Amino acid sequence: MRVLLIGANGYLGRFVADRLLADPAVQLTALGRGDDADVRFDLASGSPGALTRFLDAVHPGVVINCAGATRGGARELTRHNTVAVATVCEALRRSGCGARLVQIGCGAEYGPSQPGSSTAEDAVPRPGGPYGVSKLAATELVLGSGLDAVVLRVFSPAGPGTPAGSPLGRLAEAMRRAMQSGDGELKLGGLGVQRDFIDVRDVARAVHAASLSAAQGVINIGSGRAIRLRDAAAVLARVAGYGGTLHELDGPPGPMRAPIGHPRPEPDHAGPAAYPYPDGCGSWQQADVRTARDRLGWRPRINLEESLADIWMEAACRI
């Protein structure tokens, strides 16, 4: 099976590439902006015609799109998350390869959920920020393209390679600094948020399964269990051997008390936050993952403690 992987150098894309390369039946070609890609191509600025010519030359049976941006203004997010996907869809429509498309979406497309609930694929998406809006627009483009396509809505990825600017990445970095300085008290904000964390290696397994299946539409990829960030911090402290006290800052997230995962604004630019939660998902998110089980034969295998151990190992080695 010939597979074209877009965004192989990204956080999720690296693990998807490793998973596909481990399958002897897969012939993998990586397309991206980096020098180490098999083919250099920028989806945000490249034309559908140029991508069509490449598709016709390679003739893949599956195209997996892991490319995109998670940070930036609305214009940049739209360019990398929406316009880029429009380019992929149009190129596939023009091409004679007839490839199946596996698009990586995100849980932020749903927006805030009722605490205690599990979000299924038939929930009405109400993204609470520009990132979720840009990803939802991409999903709608894929679903309306007429292509053989599936969108995997990945909730909160965790594990090795977790970006330092993500909630768990910032948590690990804060703990590393506290241990390095001998600080017996770690003060953190925003620990009441609950998210559905899913290991990136389990995400890669889901992508592999989706590329081999005939499933179409939207499929949630998560653990099916919301974890309070406060509890994740306690597990991380145990894994790291941090014996200090975790002190949660009182009060809601604000301009001078940024929650874990949200950059602290400069004092000169202090003002009301545009969104109380950086991902626009409110205080709670939990995926209903029954569709992934039924249609992909997929279940998560890696627990959060293992994911956090890998995050800590990388943070502890950082100089």
Side-chain angles (χ1 to χ4, degrees):
M1 180 175 66
R2 293 180 180 175
V3 177
L4 174 65
L5 175 60
I6 304 172
N9 294 324
Y11 173 37
L12 297 179
R14 293 195 299 271
F15 291 93
V16 171
D18 288 345
R19 178 74 187 185
L20 294 173
L21 288 170
D23 184 346
V26 171
Q27 181 181 334
L28 182 64
T29 300
L31 182 148
R33 292 180 292 172
D35 292 335
D36 51 352
D38 295 321
V39 177
R40 293 191 64 182
F41 188 86
D42 188 347
L43 284 179
S45 59
S47 71
L51 183 56
T52 299
R53 289 191 291 275
F54 176 71
L55 289 171
D56 288 339
V58 175
H59 213 78
V62 178
V63 173
I64 300 172
N65 183 25
C66 293
T70 58
R71 306 179 71 178
R75 185 175 183 179
E76 183 179 5
L77 290 169
T78 300
R79 188 163 65 92
H80 288 285
N81 294 338
T82 309
V83 175
V85 172
T87 297
V88 172
C89 291
E90 181 59 25
L92 282 168
R93 278 195 297 262
R94 295 183 189 182
S95 172
C97 68
R100 170 174 173 77
L101 174 61
V102 179
Q103 166 70 16
I104 306 303
C106 70
E109 296 175 41
Y110 289 116
S113 303
Q114 186 69 27
S117 68
S118 292
T119 303
E121 291 83 358
D122 60 356
V124 177
R126 294 186 176 91
Y131 172 63
V133 169
S134 68
K135 293 293 287 186
L136 176 60
T139 292
E140 294 299 332
L141 283 169
V142 171
L143 298 180
S145 66
L147 299 169
D148 173 12
V150 63
V151 177
L152 302 183
R153 277 190 178 144
V154 177
F155 277 61
S156 298
T162 294
S166 70
L168 295 180
R170 291 193 70 196
L171 182 60
E173 178 61 17
M175 196 164 292
R176 182 191 72 82
R177 290 180 182 276
M179 293 179 70
Q180 190 175 46
S181 62
D183 194 343
E185 185 180 50
L186 183 56
K187 298 180 179 180
L188 301 167
L191 295 184
V193 172
Q194 297 183 70
R195 291 290 180 266
D196 187 329
F197 295 107
I198 179 69
D199 194 274
V200 287
R201 291 158 292 195
D202 279 334
V203 174
R205 288 179 42 247
V207 173
H208 188 202
S211 68
L212 297 172
S213 78
Q216 296 185 338
V218 174
I219 299 178
N220 290 340
I221 302 298
S223 69
R225 181 186 176 200
I227 300 292
R228 197 180 302 272
L229 200 53
R230 181 187 305 119
D231 297 332
V235 173
L236 185 63
R238 185 173 71 248
V239 167
Y242 177 67
T245 302
L246 296 177
H247 180 67
E248 185 172 0
L249 296 174
D250 295 327
M256 298 309 292
R257 187 184 286 116
I260 291 294
H262 194 292
R264 187 182 301 278
E266 297 297 326
D268 292 344
H269 297 89
Y275 304 96
Y277 300 92
D279 57 7
C281 295
S283 63
W284 169 279
Q285 257 207 340
Q286 178 174 283
D288 182 329
V289 294
R290 288 176 294 179
T291 301
R293 179 196 63 199
D294 296 341
R295 300 177 64 190
L296 301 181
W298 174 91
R299 296 174 188 266
R301 294 178 181 171
I302 300 174
N303 61 38
L304 183 59
E305 183 166 352
E306 184 175 344
S307 301
L308 288 170
D310 289 327
I311 291 172
W312 173 248
M313 183 178 295
E314 293 180 347
C317 293
R318 198 173 296 129
I319 299 175

